[in-house]
Amino acid sequence: MSTRFDDGMTTRRAVLGDAHVDRAEANKSAFDEPFQSMITEGAWGTLWSDDTIPHRERSMLTLALLAATGNFEEIPMHIRATANTGAAPQDVLQAFMHVAVYAGVPKANHAIKLAKQTYAEMGVTL
């Protein structure tokens, strides 16, 4: 494996947690292994491993982009990751408020609904 893959796996575990990554790795098959490797090297080994901006800000950017583009399925995963990245619920709310202004209120509204549900599951009082 490449250094970028190793760095990506380290960062992925730091952000998403060992339990999440272990589940994903256990569900990996020969079919999707090339995709999983690409994501680990590209998203996690290049982007998330770059220390130009901290993981807290990357969390907020990622959540805002997921909401703005209507990719709601990964929002709960990235809300759970905020426990590791340091993005507080109020930080996330501000990111979603930007989504409301620049990408649309319905997208932000749905993202906030998902965030509230996920934080409740995490035991976070809002």
Side-chain angles (χ1 to χ4, degrees):
M1 288 287 131
S2 71
T3 301
R4 191 171 297 169
F5 182 89
D6 293 339
D7 291 347
M9 191 58 77
T10 299
T11 301
R12 187 176 169 202
R13 286 184 179 281
V15 172
L16 299 177
D18 286 330
H20 175 87
V21 175
D22 290 344
R23 279 190 308 275
E25 287 294 296
N27 289 326
K28 185 169 61 175
S29 70
F31 175 73
D32 68 335
E33 192 281 328
F35 175 78
Q36 293 296 324
S37 291
M38 179 190 70
I39 294 301
T40 300
E41 290 181 3
W44 297 106
T46 300
L47 187 65
W48 277 87
S49 291
D50 184 297
D51 63 359
T52 303
I53 60 173
H55 288 162
R56 174 183 170 269
E57 282 74 9
R58 288 197 193 281
S59 278
M60 293 185 299
L61 284 167
T62 299
L63 285 161
L65 286 164
L66 289 169
T69 57
N71 290 297
F72 299 110
E73 187 174 303
E74 291 200 0
I75 286 178
M77 174 182 70
H78 282 281
I79 291 292
R80 286 188 293 275
T82 63
N84 299 324
T85 66
Q90 291 306 313
D91 298 327
V92 172
L93 177 63
Q94 288 298 313
F96 290 153
M97 290 175 70
H98 269 69
V99 170
V101 170
Y102 292 101
V105 170
K107 289 178 178 176
N109 189 43
H110 188 62
I112 290 168
K113 175 184 170 186
L114 293 171
K116 287 172 63 176
Q117 289 171 347
T118 307
Y119 282 128
E121 292 167 4
M122 295 169 63
V124 174
T125 304
L126 300 176

